[in-house]
Amino acid sequence: MDPSLRNLDHPTTSASDSSIGPDPHEGDESMRLGDRQIALPSPVAGSGTFDRLVETARDYARQAVSENTLRAYAKDWAQFARWCRMRGADPLPASPELIGLYIADLAAPQGKAQSPSAFRPPSVFRPQSAARPLSVASIERRLSGLGWGYAQRGQQLDRKDRHIASVLAGIRRKHARPAVQKEAILPEDIRDMLATLPHDLRGLRDRAILLIGFAGGLRRSEIVSLDHGRDDTPDSGGWVEILDNGALITLRGKTGWREVEIGRGSSDQTCPVHALTQWLYYAKIDFGPLFVAVSRNGLKATQDRLSGKHVARLIKQTVREAGIRPDLPEAERIKLYSGHSLRAGLASSAEVEERYIQKQLGHASAEMTRRYQRRRDRFRVNLTKAAGL
């Protein structure tokens, strides 16, 4: 059994996990840079009122981008700074030529350079084995992170510069591939997954997570960001109201607030609203985070909000224990499923008009919703025959 799946409430951090991350100091510095951009204009004399306004403005500036995005951008900058340092280059000022070389190395790694040292002969410094090439989407995300990093340092990265744009266009043309989609969790799958959960406090919670995530078409980050009531915690991403006909979830999304309606199911065993009320009752949750960790003895709910990683681990563990896709080796089966499998499962299973699924998932276009539909009648509308052929 994968050790990372053994204890969902108290995962351990291995040494290998820390070795792949950016230097903590570099990341923290990038996270703090945005605060430094907010200050009084030089001609204005400081005062108590202005100082308080500066702190308020800095607080709003920190809220402009989510913590996860800031963390990802900080990591992008730290990795780029390390790449430059290992090659004797300086990341500042912004150099389109250098960025072009960087993204070329991300697409086709040439090996990790080593910094020279006065204590070793030059023959020692040979490139290490090449790193794994990044996908086009990952490279574009890195560029967004670098653009943010330069902006926080008072500089501008021109992504339209030919040294960047032409290289990126070539990478797209040569390496772009259709996105690898995760397998959808279908109704029969989720029933089997629910059957693997224990009938204790932890099992009640995980049952509610799976059913609410599936019926609401929620992202894993949205599931764990929910509070019991409105404005219960500063980091709340939404709240839940239990009504007679179902549960109404109010979510804060990328483009604003949206409501998700989750109706009651046909039986208590698979009803997401029933599962949620059972968890809230026995865990005695009437304030704060909706889904929290459970004590090691499994008898008491703590006040610690779960992370999105818990949802991913829960899905992989229950998929494995339920024996879903027995035609594949266990390692391949687990890789097929993630938090997005719940959203894809709803989109693929609900026998309703597409616009209702689009609204539930919070998509701006029907085309995005169709990407989540793993099984649908692709040729229901036959334009060939409609045209008279």
Side-chain angles (χ1 to χ4, degrees):
M1 179 176 178
D2 188 341
S4 65
L5 302 180
R6 287 178 182 170
N7 194 329
L8 299 181
D9 289 272
H10 306 279
T12 57
T13 301
S14 64
S16 62
D17 293 335
S18 61
S19 65
I20 62 176
D23 182 89
H25 176 71
E26 289 178 331
D28 291 344
E29 180 183 6
S30 298
M31 297 279 281
R32 292 193 301 265
L33 282 172
D35 297 346
R36 303 175 190 171
Q37 305 299 317
I38 309 298
L40 280 175
S42 53
V44 178
S47 67
T49 301
F50 272 130
D51 290 343
R52 287 191 295 272
L53 285 175
V54 168
E55 289 303 315
T56 301
R58 287 178 175 176
D59 183 62
Y60 280 128
R62 284 190 290 267
Q63 301 299 322
V65 183
S66 71
E67 285 189 16
N68 286 340
T69 301
L70 284 175
R71 195 173 295 110
Y73 284 172
K75 184 177 181 179
D76 292 338
W77 178 265
Q79 289 171 333
F80 173 62
R82 189 180 301 109
W83 182 89
C84 292
R85 186 172 63 250
M86 298 301 290
R87 288 158 180 78
D90 194 332
L92 295 172
S95 169
E97 294 87 346
L98 185 62
I99 301 298
L101 297 178
Y102 176 59
I103 62 175
D105 194 35
L106 294 179
Q110 303 300 307
K112 299 179 181 179
Q114 294 182 337
S115 298
S117 169
F119 303 102
R120 296 179 182 177
S123 59
V124 174
F125 306 111
R126 299 185 180 91
Q128 300 175 3
S129 58
R132 182 173 59 87
L134 295 187
S135 66
V136 175
S138 296
I139 293 174
E140 291 177 334
R141 215 292 307 280
R142 290 277 183 99
L143 281 175
S144 298
L146 295 186
W148 177 89
Y150 278 117
Q152 304 311 303
R153 292 162 175 81
Q155 300 189 25
Q156 184 176 0
L157 177 63
D158 183 10
R159 291 181 58 169
K160 295 183 179 179
D161 185 282
R162 63 184 180 87
H163 294 93
I164 299 176
S166 60
V167 174
L168 184 59
I171 292 173
R172 288 196 190 104
R173 184 177 180 85
K174 184 174 182 179
H175 298 295
R177 298 289 186 274
V180 178
Q181 294 183 322
K182 294 297 182 180
E183 196 83 359
I185 291 176
L186 303 177
E188 54 269 26
D189 299 328
I190 204 165
R191 290 190 184 95
D192 293 339
M193 293 163 65
L194 294 174
T196 68
L197 297 174
H199 295 282
D200 57 7
L201 197 58
R202 187 174 288 110
L204 288 177
R205 180 201 62 195
D206 291 343
R207 188 171 282 103
I209 287 176
L210 291 176
L211 287 171
I212 289 291
F214 179 88
L218 304 180
R219 300 174 179 87
R220 63 180 188 175
S221 59
E222 293 172 337
I223 297 172
V224 298
S225 71
L226 291 173
D227 277 0
H228 183 277
R230 181 173 182 173
D231 300 329
D232 279 359
T233 62
D235 59 341
S236 170
W239 65 92
V240 179
E241 299 175 72
I242 306 296
L243 307 175
D244 291 340
N245 295 327
L248 180 63
I249 297 179
T250 305
L251 284 172
R252 178 170 57 192
K254 296 180 180 179
T255 58
W257 293 93
R258 67 185 179 94
E259 291 184 345
V260 175
E261 300 175 4
I262 299 180
R264 295 185 180 273
S266 56
S267 69
D268 287 347
Q269 287 72 25
T270 56
C271 175
V273 183
H274 178 76
L276 179 59
T277 54
Q278 290 288 101
W279 157 247
L280 295 177
Y281 176 79
Y282 287 103
K284 299 179 181 178
I285 293 177
D286 55 11
F287 183 86
L290 200 65
F291 295 113
V292 295
V294 175
S295 60
R296 290 187 181 276
N297 60 13
L299 300 178
K300 182 181 178 181
T302 71
Q303 296 180 346
D304 302 326
R305 186 190 298 275
L306 293 177
S307 71
K309 292 181 180 179
H310 173 86
V311 180
R313 287 192 294 264
L314 171 63
I315 290 172
K316 291 179 181 296
Q317 175 179 299
T318 51
V319 162
R320 181 186 59 79
E321 293 181 354
I324 297 174
R325 290 297 303 269
D327 55 307
L328 298 175
E330 180 175 308
E332 291 186 28
R333 288 195 293 121
I334 292 177
K335 286 183 180 180
L336 284 176
Y337 295 90
S338 71
H340 260 58
S341 296
L342 295 176
R343 285 167 64 79
L346 178 72
S348 303
S349 306
E351 299 291 339
V352 296
E353 292 183 30
E354 194 174 74
R355 59 191 175 96
Y356 293 114
I357 301 176
Q358 179 181 340
K359 180 179 182 297
Q360 188 82 340
L361 299 184
H363 289 155
S365 67
E367 180 59 34
M368 177 59 71
T369 302
R370 294 188 189 107
R371 297 181 188 178
Y372 283 77
Q373 295 174 318
R374 303 293 189 265
R375 60 177 192 187
R376 61 185 176 88
D377 187 358
R378 297 181 180 274
F379 300 100
R380 180 171 54 85
V381 178
N382 190 326
L383 295 180
T384 306
K385 290 182 178 180
L389 298 179

